[in-house]
Each structure stands twice: as C-alpha cells, then as structure tokens.
Amino acid sequence: MTDFKTGAAFLGGDILPLGDAGLPLTDWGVTHSDIVYDVVPVWRGAFFRLNDYLDRFEASMNGARMEVGMDRAAIIRALHDMVATAGMNDAYVAMVAARGRNPVPGSRDPRDCENHFYAWCVPYVHIVAPEAAIKGTSVWIAKSVRRIPKDSVNPRLKNYHWGDFTSGLFEAKDNGFETTLLLDHDGHVTEGPGFNVFAVFGDTVVTPDDGVLHGITRQTVLEMCSAAGLKTETRALPLDEFWQADEVFLSSSGGGVIPVAQVDERYFSNGSAGERALDLRKRYFDWISQDRFRTPVAAPSR
C-alpha cells in the first residue's frame, strides 16, 4: 500500500507520495524561484471556490508567460485525482507552474525553458494554530526589510519570492511573535507571509489594495463584510492610521479569518480577539461549507 498520510504530489502525470516527489536541480523553479502557484483549500470533502482559485492561477501563468501544456480541464482532473487518491477530506492543495529546465546549453533565454505543471497536497494547514487564532495572534512589523516593490516582482502573480517575508519571520520569531507584517517603501501596510491584513474602524473594514496579492480569502472576507452590513475600503493603509484601528485581523486560505491581539507593542481589542474578527471567522467556516462555493472531490479517473 502506498502511504499518502503526509501528502501527495502530481508530477509528470503521476501521483506519488509527497516525500518521493522532486524537481531537477537545474529547473529554473529551483535555481531562480521562477514559479507561480496557487493554493485552494479542501474542506469536508470539497474544494472551496475552486474556479476562483483557477482563474487567478491562470492569470498568474499568463502574467509570467508560462505555458504548461495543460488546459483547465486537465488541471482540474489532476487536482481531483491527487486529493482523491490521497484520501484527504480536509486538505491544503497547491497547483504550481514552474519555468522548468533550459535544454539549450548556456542559454539564459527564458523562452527556451520547458515550462511544466505540478501539484501537491497535505492535510489542511492553519497558518496560525486554531487555539491561538481564537485568542488573537501576535504580529511583528518587520524593521529590517520592506515588501518587494510591485514594479520589481508583481505580488498579484502568486510567487515563491519569499526573501523579504523570510527575513521578517526571523525578526518576528526572535522577538517572540507568531508572524510578520511588511510595510512598503512609503510606510504603508502591505501583507505578510501567506495572508492579507484588515483593520477595523467602527463599522468600516479597510484592507490594502496596492502592492499585495488579491487573495481569494481576502475577496471572501470583503463579501462577508458586505453581507454583515459592514462598509469596506480597499486602499492604501498608512502605518500611522493602522495604529488607530479598533481591531486587526488576517485572512488566509490556511485558516480563514485570524484575529490579531497584538502588533509590536500595541494591543488591540484589549489584548484579545476582536468581536468583528471572531464573527467573520465564524462566518468563514459557515461559507466554506455552503454548497454554492463547493466542488466535491471526485473519485479518481484512473
């Protein structure tokens, strides 16, 4: 019996245990971080907003000028087959396009590379443990690094360029915080590793719009806010204004809405999870279970 308990991969048309999957050392995805990807959650046996995640993945591939030789139907089939073969009811599912190897000796022309698709899945990931999220997590604003400018690496093409995030995470961990949030070079709040950020001012919820990934969970939060009668604004969020917020929370495919109790030395919601954030977190796990957003995982096609 093949063991898929820790994860599975779709690579080169085959489905195999995640630990057995690997890329060639000369793949530009390895040597240049030349990859775009997306992550769609599977919850209680169904993909959540699968077509929205696929739309963004295709937009990222087009923006990165990658052609992986698979249409949407083939990618969908690969994802279903992989998750079903792994037998995962709740999963964190990545779809990836890599630049691939350059078969021309000495060539640095990206047009020569053989782009390819692969995917992998693991049991559902919470980027902040649920017990910590319920209490409100802690966030460190990175001091030694700023977010990669959008005219250097387009953040709307979901990518593996995590050098800035990784530096921020080292800072956060060294200072006893759970995760990190980066500013841009104008001192505006942007995003963190795997999440968008929101600030609540009364009945208005604000999230940065420029220089950040437009997350599918971010979009879900904006829709939930409207359904809850809250006003929303997507715009620049200066740090000075951010400090004045009543509440702060994060959004991620890995855990939905995550309340924040502390940012640096500033405590929000009296050092606990905010009321709005907790309500939206509950709504998220209700929405992720609604049939209108769900695509049940199909039995393997082979």
Side-chain angles (χ1 to χ4, degrees):
M1 294 285 292
T2 303
D3 186 359
F4 291 106
K5 289 181 181 178
T6 60
F10 175 93
L11 184 64
D14 298 321
I15 297 171
L16 60 161
L18 186 59
D20 295 340
L23 298 179
L25 294 179
T26 56
D27 190 309
W28 281 29
V30 175
T31 61
H32 297 166
S33 292
D34 198 348
I35 276 175
V36 293
Y37 76 108
D38 228 297
V39 175
V40 55
V42 167
W43 189 253
R44 296 177 182 173
F47 292 95
F48 177 61
R49 302 193 78 149
L50 178 58
N51 283 322
D52 293 324
Y53 282 97
L54 287 165
D55 285 345
R56 189 174 64 184
F57 181 52
E58 290 178 349
S60 293
M61 286 193 290
N62 290 335
R65 296 181 62 176
M66 288 192 195
E67 173 52 63
V68 297
M70 294 173 65
D71 61 15
R72 177 178 285 215
I75 290 173
I76 290 173
R77 193 160 53 246
L79 297 179
H80 278 274
D81 286 352
M82 178 182 66
V83 175
T85 300
M88 290 184 179
N89 200 45
D90 301 314
Y92 184 88
V93 183
M95 56 192 101
V96 186
R99 189 68 63 192
R101 288 179 290 186
N102 193 321
V104 181
S107 172
R108 291 179 177 264
D109 188 338
R111 296 172 300 178
D112 294 332
C113 291
E114 300 169 337
N115 309 157
H116 63 105
F117 171 86
Y118 66 92
W120 53 269
C121 64
V122 295
Y124 187 83
V125 171
H126 291 268
I127 66 167
V128 173
E131 56 271 21
I134 289 295
K135 295 178 181 178
T137 193
S138 61
V139 177
W140 175 262
I141 294 181
K143 310 299 187 295
S144 65
V145 64
R146 296 293 175 106
R147 187 72 177 103
I148 297 173
K150 65 178 183 179
D151 52 1
S152 295
V153 175
N154 185 350
R156 295 195 187 181
L157 310 184
K158 194 171 175 71
N159 61 75
Y160 278 177
H161 293 272
W162 265 44
D164 51 353
F165 288 146
T166 301
S167 293
L169 280 168
F170 272 116
E171 274 192 49
K173 299 300 184 182
D174 287 346
N175 284 278
F177 287 73
E178 177 65 31
T179 191
T180 190
L181 178 62
L182 273 58
L183 305 178
D184 65 17
H185 288 273
D186 293 320
H188 297 141
V189 171
T190 64
E191 58 189 343
F195 62 79
N196 291 109
V197 65
F198 293 77
V200 181
F201 302 89
D203 64 353
T204 300
V205 180
V206 179
T207 191
D209 188 59
D210 199 31
V212 302
L213 179 73
H214 284 193
I216 304 302
T217 310
R218 172 184 181 271
Q219 180 59 36
T220 301
V221 168
L222 293 171
E223 293 170 7
M224 291 192 304
C225 286
S226 295
L230 298 172
K231 301 172 186 175
T232 60
E233 296 178 4
T234 57
R235 58 170 174 82
L237 180 57
L239 181 59
D240 287 347
E241 181 184 3
F242 176 80
W243 290 131
Q244 304 306 312
D246 300 316
E247 294 183 34
V248 171
F249 63 87
L250 317 176
S251 70
S252 173
S253 296
V257 175
I258 302 161
V260 173
Q262 181 182 2
V263 180
D264 286 4
E265 300 308 315
R266 165 79 158 89
Y267 290 90
F268 293 88
S269 309
N270 295 316
S272 61
E275 183 178 331
R276 301 281 197 196
L278 285 173
D279 176 68
L280 289 167
R281 179 176 175 83
K282 182 177 180 297
R283 286 174 185 269
Y284 177 81
F285 285 105
D286 173 57
W287 280 39
I288 203 173
S289 301
Q290 292 181 17
D291 288 344
R292 60 183 172 133
F293 294 120
R294 291 166 59 80
T295 304
V297 176
S301 62
R302 50 183 171 170

